[in-house]
Amino acid sequence: FIGKIIDNSGTNMVKVEVRNKVLKGETVEILTVKGDGNQDCIKNIIDLHGDFVELAQPGEIVIFELNHNYKPCDIIKKGVRY
């Protein structure tokens, strides 16, 4: 469990409350409120100062740039590696 989306911050950008360490470039699975699971990739992590960072730590609120749009209350978890 990586974190919970708390706001939509623009096209393919979501504000996330981070619960476990996550790195830029990681494959993740987004569990939507409807119950669907979508594979995605964290293209960038941006802190609240607008700086691009390589990782996010538990307790931080950051913005993830993803490949698709998601909504508040969607859950982000570690993706399945093939």
Side-chain angles (χ1 to χ4, degrees), residues 5-16 40-47 50-52 62-72 76:
I5 296 174
I6 55 175
D7 196 13
N8 185 310
S9 298
T11 304
N12 299 345
M13 307 281 272
V14 292
K15 188 179 285 187
V16 177
D40 212 320
C41 178
I42 300 173
K43 293 165 56 176
N44 283 300
I45 302 173
I46 306 164
D47 68 18
D51 297 322
F52 288 83
V62 297
I63 296 171
F64 287 170
E65 181 182 358
L66 302 166
N67 292 312
H68 304 283
N69 285 320
Y70 299 100
K71 297 181 180 177
I76 304 173

Side-chain angles (χ1 to χ4, degrees), residues 2 21-28 40-42 78 81:
I2 292 172
K21 180 179 171 181
V22 62
L23 302 170
K24 173 185 164 184
E26 277 196 56
T27 299
V28 295
D40 212 320
C41 178
I42 300 173
K78 296 274 185 186
R81 293 189 179 171

Side-chain angles (χ1 to χ4, degrees), residues 27-39:
T27 299
V28 295
E29 184 175 2
I30 313 293
L31 302 175
T32 66
V33 174
K34 294 179 182 178
D36 300 331
N38 301 308
Q39 289 283 109

